[in-house]
Amino acid sequence: MKVFGYPSLLDLDNLDPKLFFDLDLKILTPYWIDYSNKNVMQFNSDFRRKFLTEPLDKSFAWPGFDIAYYFISGLALGGKDFISYPGSHYPELLQTRFDFVRKEENAGFENQSLFMIRYSKDYQIGLVEEDSLFMQK
């Protein structure tokens, strides 16, 4: 049996986190911070130097950086045409990915990117690779 949950489960303070690991829970979420990533480590270092603390997981520092970096670098590389074709820009961000898709020609864009994270029975939290999602036991 595979158990999947909503990202809002991560905000529930009255659940014992051990349940997530015991259930081998998988959660689809738009955010994932890989603290071993060199860009994340550099961001934490810079943040610590400026503010004498590290940003919390739920801090606006993470999405603020990602959103600003995505759109400013997209505009710098693509000029004003970038706004019409944001799905062609895939920079390495800190906690999110943007994969903008337009459902209809006159509609706006929607971010279609999600991460699948897994709370494994060996008490590890990690990213599930798309290829292995349905092959795991």
Side-chain angles (χ1 to χ4, degrees):
M1 176 172 74
K2 295 180 190 233
V3 181
F4 293 87
Y6 287 104
S8 58
L9 282 174
L10 302 175
D11 295 329
L12 297 177
D13 295 331
N14 59 346
L15 281 180
D16 183 356
K18 185 178 181 309
L19 290 172
F20 296 171
F21 297 104
D22 290 345
L23 291 170
D24 199 28
L25 181 67
K26 293 171 189 70
I27 294 179
L28 281 168
T29 178
Y31 309 108
W32 169 254
I33 301 171
D34 177 4
Y35 286 97
S36 66
N37 179 293
K38 65 179 175 51
N39 293 335
V40 170
M41 289 189 285
Q42 183 64 51
F43 181 79
N44 268 333
S45 175
D46 293 345
F47 195 95
R48 191 179 316 113
R49 191 176 65 254
K50 290 177 186 173
F51 302 107
L52 305 176
T53 188
E54 290 188 9
L56 300 173
D57 286 349
K58 305 225 185 260
S59 166
F60 287 114
W62 301 104
F65 177 87
D66 282 353
I67 291 167
Y69 186 81
Y70 179 82
F71 285 102
I72 291 170
S73 64
L75 287 168
L77 294 171
K80 63 182 179 181
D81 292 336
F82 167 71
I83 299 301
S84 300
Y85 305 101
S88 61
H89 182 52
Y90 298 99
E92 187 175 332
L93 302 173
L94 300 177
Q95 78 155 23
T96 193
R97 290 185 295 226
F98 291 119
D99 182 19
F100 288 110
V101 175
R102 184 183 293 213
K103 301 268 183 178
E104 298 174 16
E105 187 174 331
N106 293 326
F109 291 94
E110 180 180 334
N111 184 18
Q112 298 280 308
S113 183
L114 292 171
F115 296 99
M116 175 75 68
I117 58 173
R118 177 183 179 202
Y119 289 77
S120 66
K121 291 186 185 271
D122 60 352
Y123 294 96
Q124 300 292 319
I125 303 172
L127 201 56
V128 176
E129 299 300 325
E130 293 175 25
D131 296 341
S132 65
L133 178 60
F134 295 103
M135 302 184 106
Q136 293 177 358
K137 293 184 179 182

